[in-house]
Amino acid sequence: MRSTSPTFLCCLLSASLAHAQDDWKGHRFMPKEGCMIKIGSNEIPAKGVALPYVVQQTSGDWLWIGEGWVQKSRVVPFDKASDYYTEYLRRRPNSAWGHTLRGWVHYENGKYDDAVRDFTDAIRLDPLDSLAYNNRGGARQKMGEFDGALDDYGQAIRLSPRETWGYNSTAWLLATCPKTGVRNGRRATEMARQACTLSAWKDAYSLDTLAAACAEAGEFDEAQRWQKKAIDLLAADPSFAAAARERLALYQNHERYREPLPE
């Protein structure tokens, strides 16, 4: 989802403030308790799938993270996030939110066993949390537990059939899995199109997945089309753009993308 800038952006910032804001751009942050994302005139709780946040621009006390605005005081730098959530869970050990967010930090740091434990605790505390299922599936996928990952993604879809994450995760695994017997290009394309439809064809990650699915199905012209669209939509994220361009080069050579084998 994309929105227009809040009205307060119309205010001119001083040169010194603009210089200070540059220190935030490109850095990664996680949400603190009570963090909200401002999208137009609406606010939603910060517990999305596009974590950690990457700051793309700033305005005063606000940070633009691609899908909306968050306040600087309501985020924690990524390298301090594990300590923040551990202290939070010390005070509130039965917080599914705390386990989900700390699990995400473990995942980003490559600590997949720890991530699975935190996501499992989140599911135990909130069995209807589809995002926790999706996230656990992602960690299990990184560990090579592909059947278990698909089971978790399927549960995420059953719990939240109008959200994109379960479809997108399933499609990515079916399109890019390093294990031959798991891949299914046609099914991946179907699931990726569902994710794109739910996101109104404006989510770069879903389009990136659709491109990989089309390539797996041998539809390389379509793969190139959607990959270029994904790159255009999220050009402000350098890490995504670089990896997306590498995949585009594969599709232009009529090659498929494969995730690396788990270590």
Side-chain angles (χ1 to χ4, degrees):
M1 181 182 296
R2 300 294 184 267
S3 62
T4 56
S5 301
T7 55
F8 56 72
L9 283 181
C10 296
C11 300
L12 295 177
L13 302 176
S14 68
S16 59
L17 179 57
H19 176 74
Q21 289 173 346
D22 289 342
D23 294 338
W24 291 81
K25 293 181 182 178
H27 288 273
R28 303 195 304 166
F29 296 87
M30 295 289 287
K32 292 182 179 180
E33 181 184 19
C35 181
M36 303 292 287
I37 302 176
K38 183 178 179 62
I39 303 174
S41 60
N42 299 318
E43 289 188 336
I44 62 172
K47 187 190 172 184
V49 294
L51 291 173
Y53 301 141
V54 178
V55 178
Q56 299 179 18
Q57 59 179 292
T58 62
S59 179
D61 292 332
W62 293 83
L63 308 172
W64 174 254
I65 57 170
E67 60 182 307
W69 297 86
V70 297
Q71 286 184 295
K72 293 177 180 177
S73 61
R74 304 314 310 166
V75 297
V76 58
F78 184 79
D79 60 357
K80 294 179 169 49
S82 181
D83 290 341
Y84 173 84
Y85 296 126
T86 296
E87 172 59 23
Y88 180 87
L89 288 168
R90 186 188 66 76
R91 294 181 282 108
R92 299 186 180 182
N94 293 325
S95 169
W97 178 88
H99 283 290
T100 293
L101 273 293
R102 189 174 67 176
W104 201 296
V105 175
H106 288 320
Y107 176 89
E108 289 288 323
N109 286 328
K111 298 179 179 179
Y112 303 121
D113 286 332
D114 291 337
V116 166
R117 280 192 287 271
D118 262 328
F119 292 139
T120 299
D121 282 337
I123 291 167
R124 172 180 56 81
L125 293 164
D126 184 1
L128 300 181
D129 188 345
S130 64
L131 188 54
Y133 273 104
N134 184 78
N135 293 349
R136 188 175 71 175
R140 296 174 80 177
Q141 180 175 335
K142 288 292 188 180
M143 297 166 66
E145 299 176 5
F146 303 123
D147 290 339
L150 287 171
D151 287 343
D152 278 344
Y153 297 152
Q155 184 65 6
I157 292 171
R158 285 188 287 273
L159 288 171
S160 296
R162 302 302 301 170
E163 299 289 354
T164 63
W165 48 70
Y167 301 101
N168 188 67
S169 297
T170 301
W172 184 258
L173 177 53
L174 293 178
T176 69
C177 184
K179 186 177 179 181
T180 302
V182 176
R183 294 194 300 274
N184 185 326
R186 293 300 177 190
R187 181 61 175 158
T189 301
E190 293 173 3
M191 300 295 277
R193 287 187 178 277
Q194 182 66 18
C196 290
T197 298
L198 289 170
S199 58
W201 300 86
K202 295 181 180 179
D203 175 60
Y205 301 105
S206 297
L207 293 169
D208 181 52
T209 298
L210 177 57
C214 289
E216 175 59 25
E219 301 170 358
F220 292 104
D221 288 343
E222 282 292 283
Q224 293 174 53
R225 173 192 174 195
W226 296 119
Q227 193 67 12
K228 290 176 182 177
K229 180 68 172 177
I231 292 170
D232 289 343
L233 283 175
L234 208 59
D237 184 342
S239 61
F240 172 85
R245 290 191 184 96
E246 290 178 2
R247 287 191 284 276
L248 176 59
L250 289 176
Y251 308 151
Q252 289 170 335
N253 290 327
H254 286 201
E255 298 177 31
R256 297 162 174 83
Y257 174 73
R258 295 284 179 267
E259 284 279 272
L261 285 166
E263 298 181 359

